[in-house]
């Protein structure tokens, strides 16, 4: 066990990354109580293995790795089905909106509520969801995301690519269902 | 750079993962190509939207305190 002062300092530093871990756990489990359990266990484990953390390296990535490994240990049984992602072909929301005459395309994004974006993220299979969480939500580099997930950078890039296509498809479907976008019905945009 | 190549590199440009030379090439293309610029702005906007939509979840105060006690 480390010196009490050193342990306190370690715990304090680790706790500065709590929001990242909690958000990640919440998006992975979809349940606040399970997220708290997972994060608490991750912190206890981190404290136990603090000797394996190299000072000066990316503690946030190290902690996130512990948390997501615990998540995958717990949900091992469902792992296989979770990895599947429908093959959409190439789905590029920007091009889809442009083809339908929704211009400027970004206006559509402004009409989508945050809760809809979160639910589109939640619909991704966990292996794809966690890449979006790391790279888009937490701003990890591909390299840090790859280290955190224990996969090559190329895997991060391909998962991210597919995740974004799926996410964009979900947002498109929502935009159509809610009338933000009318497929084929927006050809006549008022000329200004 | 052609639009196709720019489009291939757009994700990495938005994620700031291109090296300086590649990033500059994309930047120069964007400055001269309104279509690709629109596409870039859309992707950057979407990335911000995903971030801000998920960002608002923060750890409850009571949980933070509980952890602080457990860990000290
Ligand atoms: Zn272009």
């Amino acid at each position: 066990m480390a010196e009490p002062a050193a342990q306190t300092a370690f715990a304090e530093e680790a706790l500065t990354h709590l929001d990242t871990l909690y958000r990640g756990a919440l998006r992975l489990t979809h349940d606040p109580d399970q997220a708290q359990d997972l994060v608490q266990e991750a912190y206890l484990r981190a404290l136990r293995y603090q000797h394996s953390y190299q000072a000066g390296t990316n503690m946030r990535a190290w902690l996130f790795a512990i948390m997501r490994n615990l998540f995958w240990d717990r949900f091992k049984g469902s792992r296989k089905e979770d990895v599947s992602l429908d093959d959409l072909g190439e789905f590029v929301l920007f091009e889809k909106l442009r083809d339908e005459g929704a211009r400027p395309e970004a206006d559509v994004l402004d009409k989508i509520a945050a809760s809809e974006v979160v639910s589109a993220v939640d619909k991704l299979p966990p292996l794809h969801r966690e890449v979006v969480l790391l790279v888009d939500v937490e701003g990890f580099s591909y390299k840090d995301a790859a280290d955190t997930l224990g996969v090559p950078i190329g895997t991060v890039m391909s998962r991210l690519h597919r995740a974004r296509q799926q996410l964009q498809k979900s947002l498109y479907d929502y935009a159509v269902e809610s009338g933000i976008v009318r497929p084929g019905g927006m050809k006549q945009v008022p000329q200004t | 750079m052609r639009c196709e190549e720019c489009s291939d590199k757009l994700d990495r440009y938005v994620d700031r993962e291109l090296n300086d030379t590649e990033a500059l090439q994309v930047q120069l293309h964007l400055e001269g190509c309104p279509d690709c610029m629109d596409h870039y702005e859309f992707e950057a906007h979407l990335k911000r939207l995903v971030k801000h939509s998920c960002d608002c979840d923060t750890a409850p105060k009571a949980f933070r305190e509980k952890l602080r006690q457990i860990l000290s």
Side-chain angles (χ1 to χ4, degrees), chain B residues 2-3 6 29 33 35-36:
Chain B
R2 289 179 310 133
C3 292
C6 179
H29 179 86
C33 181
D35 278 358
C36 286

Side-chain angles (χ1 to χ4, degrees), chain A residues 142 161 164, chain B residues 7-15 43:
Chain A
Y142 293 172
H161 184 69
R164 283 175 170 165
Chain B
S7 164
D8 282 345
K9 290 185 171 162
L10 212 48
D11 271 5
R12 278 175 291 155
Y13 184 72
V14 171
D15 294 332
E43 296 300 337

Side-chain angles (χ1 to χ4, degrees), chain A residues 19 23 27 110 142 164, chain B residues 15 17 45 47 57 59 66:
Chain A
D19 284 337
R23 267 197 291 274
R27 294 273 73 77
D110 289 331
Y142 293 172
R164 283 175 170 165
Chain B
D15 294 332
E17 292 283 344
H45 193 134
K47 187 176 164 94
D57 286 308
K66 181 184 164 197

Side-chain angles (χ1 to χ4, degrees), chain A residues 7-52:
Chain A
Q7 172 158 336
T8 306
F10 179 83
E12 280 301 322
E13 188 184 348
L15 281 172
T16 63
H17 304 296
L18 176 58
D19 284 337
T20 293
L21 259 69
Y22 179 75
R23 267 197 291 274
L26 191 61
R27 294 273 73 77
L28 287 174
T29 61
H30 298 151
D31 180 278
D33 289 337
Q34 280 190 47
Q36 291 195 11
D37 279 356
L38 192 60
V39 170
Q40 182 170 324
E41 207 180 322
Y43 271 105
L44 289 173
R45 189 173 283 204
L47 208 60
R48 207 168 334 130
Y49 293 104
Q50 59 177 292
H51 57 269
S52 73

